[in-house]
Amino acid sequence: MRGRYGLARLLRTLGRTGGRIGPGGLGHTGGRIGDDDPPGPAAPADLLLRVLCHELRTPVSSLTALTRALADETAALTEDDRRAVVALARDQATHLAALLDEAATSVSGLTLAARRDEPRAPLVEILPTVAALVPAERRRILVTPQAARCPAPARRTRQVLGNLIENALRHGPPAGRIGIRAVHRRGGLSLSVTDEGRAADALVEALRRPLPAVGMSGLGLWIVRELAAADGGQLRLHRLRPYGIALEVLLPGVHPIR
């Protein structure tokens, strides 16, 4: 991994480069938007705001659903279920607080002191928070024992998987199954989110854009792409048979703890 990289650094880099982000990743000059350019990608200031709003949306909506489940007197929650929901709510609240702290520091223009790499955790400890975004009856999880032991950057991995899951929930079939798959390979860790939809033209275009279009469409995938690229990884689209798609993030150099 190449050091700490999360919402704060993404916002700061956008501010420094004037929104110039090319296929090679952050800081490149491809895809610069000028006054005479045709309508399409948004202006840098707008992009900063949209990145911030997008990344705060998932933990806020998750906390809303979890607290609603706790407050629902008609729900037949066992004591173990209630403890599990409270633990997930606590994790989401911690994640939200960290994102807010990073955003406040970035927007204020302060320079963060050099820090160690983002704290890592075994993937098996990261997955429950993001897996809870998918209704249980639609959720399919496949994690190999080796992948479960891989130490991944906790906050970044939650952001990446959360955005991929939100994309599947929003654009896949309303009642379709959503899969979360993690496999360790010789080169590193493979994380995939699958749904039963199709590779629409809008999806393919979103994966190719150097900057996301105006609005929220494609913004989550763009953020995933940039976060993966910062760790030397990449985002890939796979068409599944007989139907469905998989969005895979490959993170090189991530190996299980012995």
Side-chain angles (χ1 to χ4, degrees):
M1 299 292 174
R2 293 191 222 162
R4 188 176 179 277
Y5 193 100
L7 178 60
R9 185 171 166 191
L10 183 58
L11 291 171
R12 289 200 308 279
T13 306
L14 281 170
R16 286 199 308 271
T17 61
R20 301 189 302 272
I21 301 177
L26 291 171
H28 291 254
T29 57
R32 182 174 181 177
I33 307 302
D35 294 337
D36 297 328
D37 290 315
D46 177 58
L47 182 55
L48 285 167
L49 179 60
R50 288 190 296 130
V51 167
L52 174 60
C53 291
H54 187 283
E55 292 307 276
L56 295 179
R57 182 172 60 183
T58 297
V60 168
S61 61
S62 299
L63 274 173
T64 301
L66 290 167
T67 53
R68 186 179 294 131
L70 288 172
D72 185 1
E73 296 180 356
T74 64
L77 291 177
T78 66
E79 191 59 33
D80 286 344
D81 290 338
R82 192 170 296 276
R83 279 197 293 268
V85 171
V86 169
L88 288 172
R90 183 178 62 244
D91 288 345
Q92 287 290 359
T94 301
H95 181 50
L96 176 59
L99 288 177
L100 287 169
D101 286 345
E102 287 192 355
T105 302
S106 302
V107 173
S108 70
L110 298 177
T111 301
L112 294 179
R115 300 182 182 180
R116 296 179 180 178
D117 286 0
E118 178 182 331
R120 301 188 187 192
L123 186 64
V124 69
E125 296 179 9
I126 299 170
L127 284 176
T129 305
V130 290
L133 297 172
V134 185
E137 67 276 10
R138 298 177 59 190
R139 187 190 312 144
R140 302 291 184 273
I141 298 178
L142 172 62
V143 181
T144 65
Q146 283 188 319
R149 301 198 310 274
C150 284
R155 193 178 307 160
R156 269 203 308 276
T157 304
R158 285 193 185 98
Q159 283 180 259
V160 165
L161 287 174
N163 283 351
L164 292 180
I165 290 170
E166 288 284 357
N167 185 78
L169 288 168
R170 190 166 288 110
H171 300 292
R177 292 173 296 181
I178 293 176
I180 302 169
R181 184 172 182 266
V183 178
H184 176 258
R185 297 177 178 173
R186 180 180 302 175
L189 181 63
S190 165
L191 302 172
S192 300
V193 173
T194 67
D195 67 62
E196 297 178 332
R198 62 186 185 86
D201 291 343
L203 171 61
V204 175
E205 183 182 352
L207 293 173
R208 290 175 176 170
R209 284 195 196 105
L211 282 174
V214 173
M216 288 294 195
S217 177
L219 182 58
L221 294 180
W222 177 81
I223 293 170
V224 169
R225 220 171 67 202
E226 296 301 319
L227 292 175
D231 286 330
Q234 56 186 304
L235 174 63
R236 293 177 176 175
L237 168 65
H238 302 279
R239 293 170 173 83
L240 306 179
R241 295 181 180 179
Y243 54 84
I245 62 170
L247 286 169
E248 178 191 25
V249 171
L250 297 170
L251 297 177
V254 179
H255 300 291
I257 299 171
R258 298 291 180 183

